[in-house]
Structures are given as structure tokens and as C-alpha cells.
Amino acid sequence: MTCKKCVGRVEKALLAVPNVTLARVNLEAGTADVEGTASPSALISALADSGYPAVEIPESARLINVPAAPSIRTLKVEGMTCKKCVGRVEKALMAVPGVTAARVDLEAGTAEVEGTGDMTAMIAALDEGGYPAQELTGLVEIDLQSGARKLKVGGMTCKKCVGRVEKALLAVPNVTLARVNLEAGTADVEGTASPSALISALADSGYPAVEIPESARLINVPAAPSIRTLKVEGMTCKKCVGRVEKALMAVPGVTAARVDLEAGTAEVEGTGDMTAMIAALDEGGYPAQELTGLVEIDLQSGARKLKVGGMTCKKCV
């Protein structure tokens, strides 16, 4: 099928079959959706008489799997000081069932995880490996402990430096804990000691330091990307694809829209409101509904889907 005349002839032939209530032809996909109680053999015979050989597409072939939106979550991970720690943390996370990817940011002290892995299991796996962790959402202060300080420390080149810096900091009165991140060149200090006392102690040991202000210790943890799929009716050609994508992209919060003409679906990325998307498509003449899980493309009771051959003229495209 390549022109509107073919579409008209096929729809006319199908609608002439007794008990057919609706016939829609998808020119690009070479298919026809038929509603009613007419038998497949009667539909195929009517099309053959009109010069369009056809076969029924079995119901199992009309199922599409709509994947769940990718789940990306971020954890704050304590105790990481080098690239070996990064490897251990990523390995521990990847061992959790359902985790498909894990990426660690050593300087930020965070791990980004993709997949459906259980958050409690991930935290337990990291804790078992000596890396206490918690899930982050929104705007979170990297150093969550009361009275904690973060210092940028210069002059550290090896693990011995780490030991010397931690020892110097722990010698300052009222310091209860000191953790050094060699790769990031930072030190986290807990307690009530003043920043000047900490900086002075490090300077005396040959490590110049400055305090990292609280505002610089905030990280924005982005929301997981949202990808949703809609079943869109009424699309018959590439122009329809363009109109549907344009209508979806005009909805605030939509960052990408991709249409599958043959499947009659549209995949949308972003935070756009689903009701607004459906309304935009309906206004353009394309009724739509959101799909989740395994969904039959032809949702009408008694509907048939046919693969139609012989529509070959291009004059009307």
C-alpha cells in the first residue's frame, strides 16, 4: 500500500463485509485493523476479490512489550578513599540482583545505580564491604554529620600522607573523627573543633588546607529519567508521525518524542503531564492512551489485524 486510493479501496472492501463495524488502514505499515464479528476468511476473501492479497496477523504478534522507565538512583557512600574503593563499591552493587549498571564518583562520594535492584539490598551489600551508604534524593548536603567540616588538603601524594593528615587532625582537641579522600584531596572532620585549628594543625604537618564552604558541599541528585509509551490511533503515514511528534514536543516538560508508525505507538521522554499529552494528540485527531506492561496493540473486542499486499501505486503519496 503506497497511496490513499489503495487505502480507500481496501477500507471500502472491508466495510462491505457483513458484520464489519470499522476498518482502518495503515498505509506505511501495510496493515488493516478491522472491528466487528466478521470471520478472518471473509475479510481475506473480500480483499482478494479487490486485488489485495491478505493474511491475518496472529494475536501473539500484536503484543508489544513496553519497558518500564529506566530506574536510576543515587547513593551517598562513605569510606571511599581511592580507585580500589571505587572498584569494590561498583562490584558490590553489581552483585545485587536487578542492578544493570553502577558508576561511582569518588570525589563526590556517590554511586549512581541503574536497574530494579532493591535499595535495602544495595545498602546492605555496601555496609558489609565497609562502605556505609544511604539513598540520596533532591538537594542533599554531602557531609550530613552534625558539626562536620570538609577541607581541601594540598600536598597529599600517597597513603602515608593520608595517615599523617588523619593523625594531625585527630590530635586537634574536640575532633572525634577524620576521614581522608586521597583521590579527591579532601578531608572530612567531625567534632566541634574550629576550622582555623584544623587548618593550623595541617599546616604544621606540611599540608596546606582550606575549608570547603557548606554551599559547595551540596549536590543535586537528578530525578530518574522518565520514559513513557502511548498507543496512538489514526496514524497512516510519515506526515502523521511528524504531526504526532510535534504535538508531543509542544507539551511542557517533554524532552523527546519518537513515533513507531507500524506499532502505532509513541515513546516520550521527560516530565510532561500525561493528561496534557493525550489532550494534545486528541486535539490533533490522534486519540491516545498510555501503555504499561504487555499490551495488545488492537484493544477492541473482536478486532482483527491483517497484513495487506498489492497496494503499490505511489502517485498519491
Side-chain angles (χ1 to χ4, degrees), residues 109 118 121 135 155 196 233 240-241 263 269 284:
D118 179 65
E135 185 176 14
S196 59
E233 301 290 343
C240 293
V241 170
E269 292 184 23

Side-chain angles (χ1 to χ4, degrees), residues 49-115:
D49 291 344
S50 298
Y52 299 99
V55 294
E56 185 181 17
I57 298 175
E59 195 169 308
S60 59
R62 288 183 271 159
L63 296 177
I64 59 172
N65 187 45
V66 182
S71 173
I72 301 178
R73 290 164 289 173
T74 304
L75 299 96
K76 175 72 180 83
V77 185
E78 301 290 343
M80 297 190 296
T81 59
C82 62
K83 288 184 178 179
K84 286 186 178 180
C85 294
V86 170
R88 294 186 193 110
V89 168
E90 290 181 345
K91 184 178 179 180
L93 289 170
M94 289 298 294
V96 176
V99 172
T100 56
R103 294 178 294 273
V104 170
D105 184 328
L106 180 61
E107 185 164 358
T110 58
E112 191 176 69
V113 184
E114 292 184 24

Side-chain angles (χ1 to χ4, degrees), residues 196-241:
S196 59
L198 301 173
I199 291 168
S200 177
L202 290 179
D204 290 343
S205 299
Y207 298 98
V210 293
E211 184 181 18
I212 298 176
E214 195 169 306
S215 59
R217 289 183 269 158
L218 297 177
I219 59 172
N220 187 47
V221 181
S226 173
I227 301 178
R228 290 164 289 174
T229 304
L230 298 96
K231 175 75 178 83
V232 184
E233 301 290 343
M235 298 190 295
T236 59
C237 63
K238 288 184 178 179
K239 285 186 178 179
C240 293
V241 170

Side-chain angles (χ1 to χ4, degrees), residues 1 7 10-11 14 23-34 47 54-57 62 235-236 261-264 297 304-309 311:
M1 292 185 291
V7 170
V10 169
E11 290 182 344
L14 291 170
R24 292 186 302 271
V25 171
N26 186 320
L27 181 63
E28 192 80 14
T31 58
D33 290 293
V34 186
L47 290 178
V55 294
E56 185 181 17
I57 298 175
R62 288 183 271 159
M235 298 190 295
T236 59
L261 180 61
E262 185 164 357
I297 290 179
R304 309 283 185 181
K305 185 178 282 286
L306 306 171
K307 185 68 177 177
V308 185
M311 296 186 279

Side-chain angles (χ1 to χ4, degrees), residues 163-179 189-190 198 201-202:
R164 293 186 194 112
V165 168
E166 290 182 344
K167 184 178 179 180
L169 291 169
L170 288 167
V172 177
N174 299 316
V175 169
T176 57
L177 183 64
R179 292 185 301 271
V189 186
E190 294 177 19
L198 301 173
L202 290 179

